[in-house]
Coordinates of all heavy atoms in Angstrom, one line a residue:
M1 N -24.1 -46.1 -14.2 CA -25.2 -45.9 -15.1 C -25.5 -47.1 -15.9 O -25.6 -47.1 -17.0 CB -24.8 -44.8 -16.1 CG -24.9 -43.4 -15.6 SD -24.8 -42.3 -17.0 CE -26.4 -41.6 -16.9
G2 N -25.7 -48.2 -15.2 CA -26.1 -49.4 -15.8 C -27.4 -49.5 -16.4 O -28.3 -48.7 -16.0
S3 N -27.7 -50.4 -17.3 CA -29.0 -50.5 -17.9 C -29.6 -51.8 -17.5 O -28.9 -52.8 -17.3 CB -28.8 -50.4 -19.5 OG -30.1 -50.6 -20.1
T4 N -30.9 -51.9 -17.5 CA -31.6 -53.1 -17.1 C -32.0 -53.8 -18.4 O -32.6 -54.9 -18.2 CB -32.8 -52.8 -16.3 OG1 -33.7 -51.9 -17.0 CG2 -32.4 -52.2 -14.9
L5 N -31.7 -53.4 -19.5 CA -31.9 -54.1 -20.8 C -30.9 -55.2 -21.0 O -29.7 -55.1 -20.7 CB -31.8 -53.1 -22.0 CG -32.8 -52.0 -22.1 CD1 -32.4 -51.1 -23.3 CD2 -34.2 -52.5 -22.2
S6 N -31.5 -56.4 -21.5 CA -30.6 -57.5 -21.7 C -29.9 -57.2 -23.0 O -30.2 -56.3 -23.8 CB -31.4 -58.7 -21.9 OG -32.2 -58.7 -23.0
L7 N -28.9 -58.0 -23.3 CA -28.1 -57.8 -24.6 C -29.0 -58.0 -25.8 O -28.8 -57.3 -26.7 CB -26.9 -58.8 -24.7 CG -25.7 -58.6 -23.8 CD1 -24.7 -59.7 -23.9 CD2 -25.1 -57.3 -24.2
A8 N -29.9 -58.9 -25.7 CA -30.8 -59.1 -26.8 C -31.7 -57.9 -27.0 O -32.2 -57.6 -28.2 CB -31.7 -60.3 -26.6
E9 N -32.1 -57.2 -25.9 CA -33.0 -56.0 -26.1 C -32.3 -54.8 -26.5 O -32.9 -53.8 -26.9 CB -33.7 -55.8 -24.7 CG -34.6 -56.9 -24.3 CD -35.1 -56.8 -22.9 OE1 -34.3 -56.3 -22.0 OE2 -36.2 -57.2 -22.6
R10 N -31.0 -54.7 -26.3 CA -30.2 -53.5 -26.7 C -30.0 -53.3 -28.2 O -29.7 -54.3 -28.9 CB -28.8 -53.5 -26.0 CG -29.0 -53.5 -24.5 CD -27.6 -53.6 -23.9 NE -27.7 -53.8 -22.4 CZ -26.7 -54.1 -21.6 NH1 -25.5 -54.3 -22.1 NH2 -27.0 -54.3 -20.4
P11 N -30.1 -52.2 -28.7 CA -29.9 -51.9 -30.1 C -28.4 -52.3 -30.4 O -27.5 -51.9 -29.6 CB -30.1 -50.4 -30.3 CG -31.0 -50.0 -29.1 CD -30.6 -50.9 -28.0
K12 N -28.2 -53.0 -31.5 CA -26.9 -53.4 -31.9 C -25.8 -52.2 -32.0 O -24.7 -52.4 -31.6 CB -26.9 -54.2 -33.2 CG -27.5 -55.6 -33.0 CD -27.4 -56.4 -34.2 CE -28.4 -57.5 -34.0 NZ -28.1 -58.8 -34.1
G13 N -26.2 -51.1 -32.5 CA -25.3 -50.0 -32.6 C -24.8 -49.5 -31.3 O -23.7 -49.1 -31.1
M14 N -25.7 -49.6 -30.3 CA -25.3 -49.1 -29.0 C -24.4 -50.1 -28.3 O -23.5 -49.8 -27.6 CB -26.6 -48.8 -28.1 CG -27.4 -47.7 -28.6 SD -28.8 -47.4 -27.6 CE -28.0 -46.2 -26.4
I15 N -24.6 -51.4 -28.6 CA -23.7 -52.4 -27.9 C -22.3 -52.2 -28.6 O -21.3 -52.2 -27.8 CB -24.2 -53.8 -28.2 CG1 -25.5 -54.0 -27.5 CG2 -23.2 -54.9 -27.9 CD1 -26.3 -55.3 -27.9
R16 N -22.2 -52.0 -29.8 CA -20.9 -51.9 -30.5 C -20.2 -50.5 -30.1 O -19.0 -50.5 -29.9 CB -21.0 -51.9 -32.0 CG -20.9 -53.4 -32.5 CD -21.0 -53.4 -34.0 NE -22.4 -53.7 -34.2 CZ -23.2 -53.4 -35.2 NH1 -22.7 -52.8 -36.1 NH2 -24.4 -53.8 -35.3
S17 N -21.0 -49.5 -29.8 CA -20.4 -48.2 -29.5 C -19.9 -48.2 -28.1 O -19.2 -47.3 -27.7 CB -21.4 -47.1 -29.7 OG -22.4 -47.1 -28.7
G18 N -20.3 -49.2 -27.3 CA -19.8 -49.2 -25.9 C -20.8 -48.3 -25.0 O -20.4 -48.1 -23.9
S19 N -21.9 -48.0 -25.5 CA -22.8 -47.2 -24.6 C -23.3 -47.9 -23.4 O -23.7 -47.4 -22.4 CB -24.0 -46.7 -25.4 OG -23.6 -45.9 -26.4
F20 N -23.3 -49.3 -23.5 CA -23.8 -50.1 -22.4 C -22.7 -50.8 -21.6 O -23.0 -51.8 -20.9 CB -24.9 -51.1 -22.9 CG -26.1 -50.5 -23.3 CD1 -26.4 -50.3 -24.7 CD2 -27.1 -50.1 -22.4 CE1 -27.6 -49.7 -25.0 CE2 -28.2 -49.5 -22.8 CZ -28.5 -49.3 -24.1
R21 N -21.5 -50.3 -21.7 CA -20.4 -50.9 -21.0 C -20.6 -50.7 -19.5 O -21.1 -49.7 -19.1 CB -19.1 -50.3 -21.4 CG -18.6 -50.7 -22.8 CD -17.3 -50.2 -23.1 NE -17.2 -48.8 -22.8 CZ -16.1 -48.1 -22.3 NH1 -15.0 -48.8 -22.1 NH2 -16.1 -46.8 -22.2
D22 N -20.2 -51.7 -18.8 CA -20.2 -51.6 -17.3 C -19.0 -50.6 -16.9 O -17.9 -50.8 -17.2 CB -20.0 -53.0 -16.7 CG -20.1 -53.0 -15.2 OD1 -20.1 -52.0 -14.6 OD2 -20.2 -54.1 -14.7
P23 N -19.3 -49.6 -16.1 CA -18.3 -48.6 -15.7 C -17.2 -49.3 -14.9 O -16.1 -48.8 -14.9 CB -19.0 -47.6 -14.8 CG -20.5 -47.9 -14.9 CD -20.7 -49.2 -15.6
T24 N -17.4 -50.4 -14.2 CA -16.4 -51.1 -13.5 C -15.4 -51.7 -14.4 O -14.3 -52.0 -13.9 CB -17.0 -52.1 -12.5 OG1 -17.7 -53.1 -13.2 CG2 -17.9 -51.5 -11.5
D25 N -15.7 -51.9 -15.6 CA -14.8 -52.5 -16.6 C -13.6 -51.5 -16.8 O -12.4 -52.0 -16.8 CB -15.4 -52.7 -18.0 CG -16.3 -53.9 -18.0 OD1 -16.3 -54.7 -17.0 OD2 -17.1 -54.1 -19.0
D26 N -13.8 -50.2 -16.8 CA -12.7 -49.3 -16.9 C -11.8 -49.4 -15.7 O -10.6 -49.3 -15.8 CB -13.2 -47.8 -17.1 CG -13.9 -47.6 -18.5 OD1 -13.6 -48.4 -19.4 OD2 -14.7 -46.7 -18.6
V27 N -12.4 -49.4 -14.5 CA -11.6 -49.5 -13.3 C -10.8 -50.8 -13.3 O -9.6 -50.8 -13.0 CB -12.5 -49.3 -12.1 CG1 -11.8 -49.6 -10.8 CG2 -13.2 -48.0 -12.1
H28 N -11.5 -51.8 -13.6 CA -10.7 -53.2 -13.6 C -9.6 -53.2 -14.6 O -8.5 -53.6 -14.3 CB -11.8 -54.2 -13.9 CG -11.2 -55.6 -13.9 ND1 -10.8 -56.2 -12.7 CD2 -11.0 -56.5 -14.9 CE1 -10.4 -57.4 -13.0 NE2 -10.4 -57.6 -14.3
G29 N -9.9 -52.6 -15.8 CA -8.8 -52.5 -16.8 C -7.7 -51.6 -16.3 O -6.5 -52.0 -16.6
S30 N -7.9 -50.5 -15.6 CA -6.9 -49.7 -15.1 C -6.1 -50.4 -14.1 O -4.8 -50.2 -14.0 CB -7.5 -48.4 -14.5 OG -8.1 -47.7 -15.5
V31 N -6.7 -51.1 -13.2 CA -6.1 -51.8 -12.1 C -5.1 -52.9 -12.8 O -4.0 -53.1 -12.4 CB -7.0 -52.5 -11.2 CG1 -6.3 -53.5 -10.2 CG2 -7.8 -51.5 -10.3
L32 N -5.6 -53.6 -13.8 CA -4.9 -54.7 -14.5 C -3.7 -54.0 -15.2 O -2.5 -54.5 -15.2 CB -5.7 -55.4 -15.5 CG -6.7 -56.4 -14.9 CD1 -7.5 -57.0 -16.0 CD2 -6.0 -57.4 -14.1
S33 N -3.9 -52.8 -15.7 CA -2.8 -52.1 -16.5 C -1.7 -51.7 -15.4 O -0.5 -51.8 -15.7 CB -3.4 -50.9 -17.2 OG -2.3 -50.1 -17.7
L34 N -2.1 -51.2 -14.3 CA -1.1 -50.8 -13.3 C -0.4 -52.0 -12.8 O 0.8 -52.0 -12.6 CB -1.9 -50.1 -12.1 CG -2.3 -48.7 -12.4 CD1 -3.2 -48.2 -11.2 CD2 -1.2 -47.8 -12.6
A35 N -1.1 -53.1 -12.5 CA -0.5 -54.3 -12.0 C 0.6 -54.9 -13.1 O 1.7 -55.2 -12.7 CB -1.5 -55.4 -11.8
S36 N 0.1 -54.8 -14.3 CA 1.1 -55.2 -15.4 C 2.3 -54.4 -15.5 O 3.4 -54.8 -15.6 CB 0.3 -55.2 -16.7 OG 1.2 -55.5 -17.8
S37 N 2.1 -53.0 -15.4 CA 3.2 -52.1 -15.4 C 4.2 -52.3 -14.2 O 5.3 -52.3 -14.4 CB 2.7 -50.7 -15.4 OG 3.7 -49.8 -15.3
A38 N 3.6 -52.5 -13.0 CA 4.4 -52.8 -11.9 C 5.2 -54.0 -12.0 O 6.4 -54.1 -11.7 CB 3.5 -52.8 -10.6
S39 N 4.5 -55.0 -12.5 CA 5.2 -56.4 -12.7 C 6.4 -56.2 -13.7 O 7.5 -56.8 -13.5 CB 4.2 -57.4 -13.2 OG 4.8 -58.6 -13.5
S40 N 6.1 -55.5 -14.8 CA 7.1 -55.2 -15.8 C 8.4 -54.5 -15.2 O 9.5 -54.8 -15.4 CB 6.6 -54.5 -17.0 OG 7.6 -54.2 -17.9
T41 N 8.0 -53.5 -14.4 CA 9.1 -52.7 -13.7 C 9.9 -53.5 -12.8 O 11.1 -53.5 -12.8 CB 8.5 -51.5 -13.0 OG1 7.8 -50.7 -13.9 CG2 9.5 -50.7 -12.3
Y42 N 9.2 -54.4 -12.0 CA 9.8 -55.3 -11.1 C 10.7 -56.3 -11.8 O 11.9 -56.5 -11.4 CB 8.8 -56.0 -10.3 CG 9.3 -57.0 -9.3 CD1 9.8 -56.6 -8.1 CD2 9.2 -58.4 -9.5 CE1 10.3 -57.5 -7.2 CE2 9.7 -59.3 -8.6 CZ 10.2 -58.9 -7.5 OH 10.7 -59.8 -6.6
S43 N 10.2 -56.8 -12.9 CA 11.0 -57.8 -13.7 C 12.3 -57.1 -14.3 O 13.4 -57.7 -14.3 CB 10.2 -58.3 -14.8 OG 9.2 -59.1 -14.3
S44 N 12.2 -55.9 -14.7 CA 13.3 -55.1 -15.3 C 14.3 -54.9 -14.1 O 15.5 -55.0 -14.4 CB 12.9 -53.8 -15.8 OG 12.1 -54.0 -16.9
Q45 N 13.9 -54.6 -13.0 CA 14.8 -54.3 -11.9 C 15.5 -55.6 -11.5 O 16.7 -55.6 -11.1 CB 14.1 -53.7 -10.7 CG 13.7 -52.2 -11.0 CD 13.2 -51.6 -9.8 OE1 12.6 -52.2 -8.9 NE2 13.3 -50.3 -9.7
I46 N 14.8 -56.7 -11.5 CA 15.4 -58.0 -11.1 C 16.5 -58.4 -12.1 O 17.6 -58.8 -11.8 CB 14.3 -59.2 -11.1 CG1 13.3 -58.9 -9.9 CG2 15.0 -60.5 -11.1 CD1 14.0 -59.1 -8.5
R47 N 16.2 -58.1 -13.4 CA 17.2 -58.5 -14.5 C 18.4 -57.6 -14.3 O 19.5 -58.0 -14.4 CB 16.7 -58.2 -15.9 CG 15.8 -59.4 -16.4 CD 15.4 -59.3 -17.8 NE 14.6 -58.1 -18.2 CZ 13.3 -58.0 -18.0 NH1 12.6 -59.0 -17.6 NH2 12.7 -56.9 -18.4
K48 N 18.2 -56.3 -14.0 CA 19.3 -55.3 -13.8 C 20.2 -55.8 -12.6 O 21.4 -55.8 -12.7 CB 18.8 -53.9 -13.6 CG 19.8 -52.9 -13.3 CD 19.2 -51.5 -13.0 CE 20.3 -50.6 -12.5 NZ 19.8 -49.4 -12.0
L49 N 19.5 -56.1 -11.5 CA 20.2 -56.6 -10.3 C 21.0 -57.8 -10.5 O 22.1 -58.0 -10.1 CB 19.3 -56.7 -9.1 CG 18.7 -55.4 -8.6 CD1 17.6 -55.7 -7.5 CD2 19.8 -54.5 -7.9
R50 N 20.5 -58.8 -11.3 CA 21.1 -60.0 -11.6 C 22.4 -59.7 -12.5 O 23.5 -60.3 -12.2 CB 20.2 -61.0 -12.4 CG 19.3 -61.6 -11.5 CD 18.5 -62.7 -12.2 NE 17.6 -63.4 -11.2 CZ 16.4 -63.9 -11.6 NH1 16.0 -63.9 -12.7 NH2 15.7 -64.5 -10.6
R51 N 22.3 -58.8 -13.4 CA 23.4 -58.4 -14.2 C 24.5 -57.8 -13.3 O 25.7 -58.1 -13.4 CB 23.1 -57.4 -15.3 CG 22.4 -58.1 -16.5 CD 22.3 -57.1 -17.7 NE 21.6 -55.9 -17.4 CZ 20.3 -55.7 -17.5 NH1 19.5 -56.6 -17.9 NH2 19.8 -54.5 -17.3
E52 N 24.2 -56.9 -12.4 CA 25.0 -56.2 -11.5 C 25.7 -57.2 -10.6 O 27.0 -57.2 -10.4 CB 24.3 -55.2 -10.6 CG 24.0 -53.9 -11.5 CD 23.2 -52.9 -10.6 OE1 23.2 -53.1 -9.4 OE2 22.6 -52.0 -11.2
L53 N 24.9 -58.3 -10.1 CA 25.5 -59.3 -9.3 C 26.5 -60.1 -10.0 O 27.6 -60.4 -9.5 CB 24.4 -60.2 -8.7 CG 24.8 -61.4 -7.8 CD1 25.5 -60.9 -6.6 CD2 23.6 -62.2 -7.5
E54 N 26.2 -60.5 -11.2 CA 27.1 -61.3 -12.1 C 28.4 -60.5 -12.3 O 29.5 -61.0 -12.2 CB 26.4 -61.6 -13.4 CG 27.2 -62.6 -14.2 CD 26.5 -63.0 -15.5 OE1 25.3 -63.5 -15.4 OE2 27.1 -62.9 -16.6
S55 N 28.2 -59.2 -12.6 CA 29.4 -58.4 -12.8 C 30.3 -58.3 -11.6 O 31.5 -58.4 -11.7 CB 29.0 -57.0 -13.3 OG 30.1 -56.2 -13.4
S56 N 29.7 -58.1 -10.5 CA 30.4 -58.0 -9.2 C 31.1 -59.3 -8.8 O 32.3 -59.3 -8.4 CB 29.5 -57.7 -8.1 OG 29.0 -56.3 -8.3
Q57 N 30.4 -60.4 -9.1 CA 31.0 -61.7 -8.9 C 32.3 -61.9 -9.8 O 33.3 -62.5 -9.3 CB 30.0 -62.8 -9.1 CG 29.0 -62.9 -8.0 CD 27.9 -63.9 -8.3 OE1 27.6 -64.1 -9.5 NE2 27.3 -64.4 -7.3
E58 N 32.2 -61.5 -11.0 CA 33.4 -61.6 -11.9 C 34.5 -60.7 -11.4 O 35.7 -61.1 -11.5 CB 32.9 -61.2 -13.3 CG 32.1 -62.2 -14.0 CD 31.5 -61.7 -15.4 OE1 31.9 -60.6 -15.8 OE2 30.7 -62.4 -16.0
K59 N 34.2 -59.5 -10.9 CA 35.3 -58.6 -10.4 C 35.9 -59.3 -9.1 O 37.1 -59.2 -9.0 CB 34.6 -57.3 -10.0 CG 34.2 -56.5 -11.2 CD 33.6 -55.2 -10.8 CE 33.1 -54.3 -12.0 NZ 32.4 -53.1 -11.5
V60 N 35.1 -59.9 -8.3 CA 35.6 -60.6 -7.1 C 36.6 -61.7 -7.5 O 37.6 -61.8 -7.0 CB 34.5 -61.0 -6.1 CG1 35.1 -62.0 -5.1 CG2 33.8 -59.9 -5.5
A61 N 36.1 -62.5 -8.5 CA 37.0 -63.5 -9.0 C 38.3 -63.0 -9.6 O 39.4 -63.6 -9.3 CB 36.2 -64.4 -10.0
T62 N 38.2 -62.0 -10.3 CA 39.5 -61.4 -10.9 C 40.4 -60.9 -9.8 O 41.6 -61.1 -9.9 CB 39.0 -60.3 -11.9 OG1 38.3 -60.8 -13.0 CG2 40.3 -59.6 -12.5
L63 N 39.8 -60.1 -8.9 CA 40.6 -59.6 -7.8 C 41.2 -60.7 -6.9 O 42.4 -60.6 -6.5 CB 39.8 -58.6 -7.0 CG 39.4 -57.3 -7.7 CD1 38.4 -56.5 -6.8 CD2 40.7 -56.5 -8.0
T64 N 40.5 -61.7 -6.7 CA 41.0 -62.8 -5.9 C 42.2 -63.5 -6.6 O 43.2 -63.8 -6.0 CB 39.9 -63.9 -5.7 OG1 38.8 -63.2 -4.9 CG2 40.4 -65.1 -4.8
S65 N 42.0 -63.7 -7.9 CA 43.1 -64.3 -8.7 C 44.4 -63.4 -8.7 O 45.5 -63.9 -8.5 CB 42.6 -64.5 -10.2 OG 43.6 -65.0 -11.0
Q66 N 44.2 -62.1 -8.9 CA 45.3 -61.2 -8.9 C 45.9 -61.2 -7.5 O 47.2 -61.2 -7.4 CB 44.8 -59.7 -9.2 CG 44.4 -59.6 -10.6 CD 43.8 -58.2 -10.9 OE1 43.6 -57.4 -10.0 NE2 43.5 -57.9 -12.2
L67 N 45.2 -61.1 -6.4 CA 45.8 -61.1 -5.1 C 46.6 -62.5 -4.9 O 47.7 -62.4 -4.3 CB 44.7 -61.0 -4.1 CG 45.1 -61.1 -2.6 CD1 46.0 -60.0 -2.3 CD2 43.8 -61.1 -1.7
S68 N 46.0 -63.6 -5.3 CA 46.7 -64.8 -5.1 C 48.0 -64.8 -5.9 O 49.1 -65.3 -5.4 CB 45.8 -65.9 -5.7 OG 46.2 -67.2 -5.2
A69 N 48.0 -64.3 -7.1 CA 49.2 -64.2 -7.9 C 50.3 -63.2 -7.2 O 51.5 -63.6 -7.2 CB 48.9 -63.7 -9.3
N70 N 49.8 -62.1 -6.7 CA 50.7 -61.2 -6.0 C 51.3 -61.8 -4.8 O 52.5 -61.6 -4.5 CB 49.9 -59.9 -5.7 CG 49.6 -59.1 -6.8 OD1 50.2 -59.2 -7.9 ND2 48.7 -58.2 -6.7
V71 N 50.5 -62.6 -4.0 CA 51.0 -63.2 -2.7 C 52.1 -64.3 -3.2 O 53.2 -64.3 -2.5 CB 49.9 -63.9 -2.0 CG1 50.4 -64.8 -0.9 CG2 49.0 -62.8 -1.4
S72 N 51.9 -65.0 -4.3 CA 52.8 -66.0 -4.7 C 54.1 -65.3 -5.1 O 55.2 -65.8 -4.8 CB 52.3 -66.8 -5.9 OG 51.2 -67.5 -5.5
I73 N 54.0 -64.2 -5.8 CA 55.2 -63.5 -6.3 C 56.0 -62.9 -5.1 O 57.1 -63.0 -4.9 CB 54.9 -62.3 -7.2 CG1 54.4 -62.9 -8.6 CG2 56.0 -61.4 -7.4 CD1 53.7 -61.9 -9.5
F74 N 55.2 -62.4 -4.0 CA 55.8 -61.9 -2.8 C 56.6 -62.9 -2.1 O 57.7 -62.7 -1.7 CB 54.7 -61.2 -2.0 CG 55.2 -60.8 -0.7 CD1 55.9 -59.5 -0.5 CD2 55.0 -61.5 0.5 CE1 56.3 -59.1 0.7 CE2 55.4 -61.0 1.7 CZ 56.2 -59.8 1.8
F75 N 56.0 -64.0 -1.9 CA 56.6 -65.1 -1.2 C 57.8 -65.7 -1.9 O 58.7 -66.4 -1.2 CB 55.6 -66.2 -0.7 CG 54.9 -65.8 0.5 CD1 53.5 -65.7 0.5 CD2 55.5 -65.5 1.7 CE1 52.7 -65.3 1.6 CE2 54.8 -65.1 2.8 CZ 53.4 -65.0 2.7
E76 N 57.9 -65.6 -3.2 CA 59.0 -66.1 -3.9 C 60.3 -65.4 -3.5 O 61.4 -65.9 -3.4 CB 58.9 -66.0 -5.4 CG 57.9 -67.0 -6.0 CD 57.7 -66.7 -7.5 OE1 58.3 -65.8 -8.1 OE2 56.9 -67.4 -8.1
G77 N 60.1 -64.1 -3.1 CA 61.3 -63.3 -2.7 C 61.7 -63.4 -1.2 O 62.7 -62.9 -0.8
V78 N 60.9 -64.1 -0.5 CA 61.1 -64.2 1.0 C 61.7 -65.5 1.2 O 61.2 -66.6 0.9 CB 59.7 -64.1 1.8 CG1 60.0 -64.3 3.3 CG2 59.1 -62.8 1.5
E79 N 62.9 -65.4 1.9 CA 63.6 -66.7 2.1 C 63.2 -67.4 3.4 O 63.0 -68.6 3.5 CB 65.2 -66.4 2.3 CG 65.7 -65.9 0.9 CD 67.2 -65.5 1.1 OE1 67.8 -65.9 2.1 OE2 67.7 -64.9 0.1
D80 N 62.9 -66.6 4.5 CA 62.5 -67.2 5.7 C 61.0 -66.7 6.1 O 60.9 -65.6 6.6 CB 63.5 -66.8 6.8 CG 63.2 -67.5 8.1 OD1 62.3 -68.4 8.1 OD2 63.8 -67.2 9.1
R81 N 60.1 -67.4 5.7 CA 58.7 -67.0 5.9 C 58.3 -67.0 7.3 O 57.4 -66.1 7.7 CB 57.7 -67.9 5.1 CG 57.9 -67.8 3.6 CD 57.0 -68.8 2.9 NE 57.4 -68.7 1.4 CZ 57.0 -69.5 0.5 NH1 56.1 -70.4 0.9 NH2 57.3 -69.4 -0.7
E82 N 58.9 -67.8 8.2 CA 58.5 -67.8 9.6 C 58.9 -66.5 10.3 O 58.1 -66.0 11.1 CB 59.1 -69.0 10.3 CG 58.5 -70.3 9.9 CD 59.0 -71.5 10.6 OE1 59.6 -71.3 11.7 OE2 58.9 -72.6 10.0
T83 N 60.0 -65.9 9.9 CA 60.4 -64.7 10.6 C 59.6 -63.5 10.1 O 59.5 -62.5 10.7 CB 61.9 -64.4 10.4 OG1 62.2 -64.4 9.0 CG2 62.8 -65.4 11.0
L84 N 59.1 -63.6 8.8 CA 58.3 -62.6 8.3 C 57.0 -62.3 9.1 O 56.6 -61.2 9.3 CB 57.9 -63.0 6.8 CG 57.0 -62.0 6.1 CD1 57.8 -60.7 5.8 CD2 56.5 -62.6 4.8
F85 N 56.4 -63.4 9.6 CA 55.2 -63.3 10.4 C 55.4 -63.3 11.9 O 54.4 -63.3 12.7 CB 54.2 -64.3 10.1 CG 53.7 -64.2 8.6 CD1 54.2 -65.0 7.6 CD2 52.9 -63.1 8.2 CE1 53.8 -65.0 6.3 CE2 52.5 -63.0 6.9 CZ 52.9 -63.9 5.9
A86 N 56.7 -63.3 12.4 CA 56.9 -63.4 13.8 C 56.6 -62.0 14.5 O 56.8 -61.0 13.9 CB 58.4 -63.7 14.1
T87 N 56.1 -62.1 15.7 CA 55.7 -60.8 16.4 C 56.8 -60.4 17.3 O 57.6 -61.1 17.8 CB 54.4 -61.1 17.1 OG1 54.5 -62.1 18.0 CG2 53.3 -61.2 16.2

């Protein structure tokens, strides 16, 4: 429902009230809002995944350290390591 009146020809009250707004502005605004929302959701998920990855990496490092310590303790009690792994 566009108007052929120029801005200068439109009554100031109608311009301020939005009576002469372009209907595609609402659609464009909605698309921008959806894109912004999707981008925000995507960014939140990326942050969450990075935290989970960091946490998992710390767990791997801790478990590796514990395993290494356990292997060292185990081998301290073994006198002949070669016979331990003989088939």
Side-chain angles (χ1 to χ4, degrees):
M1 283 193 113
S3 173
T4 58
L5 295 175
S6 71
L7 285 175
E9 296 170 326
R10 296 178 188 170
K12 289 185 193 232
M14 293 182 89
I15 293 172
R16 273 182 260 150
S17 72
S19 297
F20 288 102
R21 287 185 308 145
D22 186 348
T24 60
D25 285 348
D26 290 338
V27 173
H28 183 68
S30 295
V31 169
L32 288 177
S33 178
L34 286 172
S36 175
S37 177
S39 176
S40 177
T41 300
Y42 178 75
S43 295
S44 295
Q45 287 185 336
I46 292 293
R47 282 191 299 274
K48 178 185 173 192
L49 290 171
R50 283 186 178 151
R51 284 191 305 270
E52 288 178 12
L53 176 61
E54 186 176 309
S55 174
S56 295
Q57 288 172 331
E58 289 172 5
K59 288 177 186 177
V60 167
T62 299
L63 291 171
T64 301
S65 177
Q66 290 173 352
L67 178 61
S68 197
N70 289 343
V71 167
S72 295
I73 291 169
F74 175 77
F75 279 121
E76 284 177 6
V78 176
E79 293 177 17
D80 186 8
R81 294 180 187 168
E82 288 181 25
T83 57
L84 182 65
F85 295 108
T87 55

